[in-house]
Every structure is written in structure tokens, then in C-alpha cells.
Amino acid sequence: QVQLVESGGGLVQAGGSLRLSCTAPGRTFSTGSMGWFRQAPGKEREFVAAIRWSDGGTYYADSVKGRFTISRDNAKNTVYLQMNSLKPEDTAVYYCAGSPYGSIWNTSPLRYSYWGQGTQVTVSS
């Protein structure tokens, strides 16, 4: 079973930035895709962004488009989520997830096979 490890969460003021990282120790990715999801208290888990390992193709939720950037470093088997212009409504636990599928436009959590433990992002107003 693949284990994902996230890092980089924290507390930031509105308008600030954070960068999240997600890696899978001992695992090499060349196919499939990785996604970031978030879940705020009392809300369902929602899709944030996804990236395909093979060519770096990306897809974003409308709510973060233009503010967040997902990227990957194949040599380090790591995916990043750069979050700029953060808003209080971005506050949530952020999860990275891995999928064996390369299609990045299906945003359902059900297509992702393995998940990280989550990292808290809190944006103060």
C-alpha cells in the first residue's frame, strides 16, 4: 500500500502564501496522477487541483484557479501545491491523493486509491 506524507500546512494571514508538499517515500511514480483535496469542518471533501505524472498536465477547481499552482518533481517523487492570495475560506485540512488514472478532469475522490494523513491550513482574516 502506498503511503503519502504531506507537509507545509500552518497558520497564515489573509493574502499570504503557503506551499504544501506531498511525497511517497520509497515509491517512484511515472504514470497516473496526483490530486489535492480539502475538507473544512462540517463540509464534504472537495477537489482542489490535480496533476498528471507523465506530462505535468494540470486541472484546477474554479475556486482556486489563478491563486493556486500544482506542480511535480519527478526526480523527488514529490507534488507541491503553491497557494497564494489565501482567503479565510481556504481554511481546511488539505489532503494529497494518488490515482492510477491519468485523466485529471474527473474530480471525484472515489478515483483516488491512496491518501495522505492531511495537513491543516488556517487563514486568518
Side-chain angles (χ1 to χ4, degrees), residues 37-118:
F37 289 76
R38 65 187 182 186
Q39 188 166 18
K43 295 188 177 181
E44 292 186 355
R45 190 168 297 189
E46 66 170 349
F47 171 82
V48 175
I51 189 166
R52 190 164 41 238
W53 280 109
S54 59
D55 63 1
T58 59
Y59 186 69
Y60 296 92
D62 288 343
S63 59
V64 306
K65 200 173 296 182
R67 300 188 297 122
F68 291 11
T69 302
I70 188 171
S71 61
R72 94 266 194 241
D73 185 329
N74 291 62
K76 296 182 178 179
N77 299 312
T78 300
V79 173
Y80 304 98
L81 185 68
Q82 178 67 43
M83 305 185 294
N84 299 328
S85 302
L86 282 162
K87 305 175 182 179
E89 51 263 43
D90 293 319
T91 295
V93 177
Y94 282 70
Y95 299 89
C96 69
S99 171
Y101 308 110
S103 59
I104 54 177
W105 302 278
N106 187 337
T107 60
S108 170
L110 297 177
R111 65 182 291 273
Y112 288 82
S113 304
Y114 37 94
W115 294 79
Q117 79 287 353

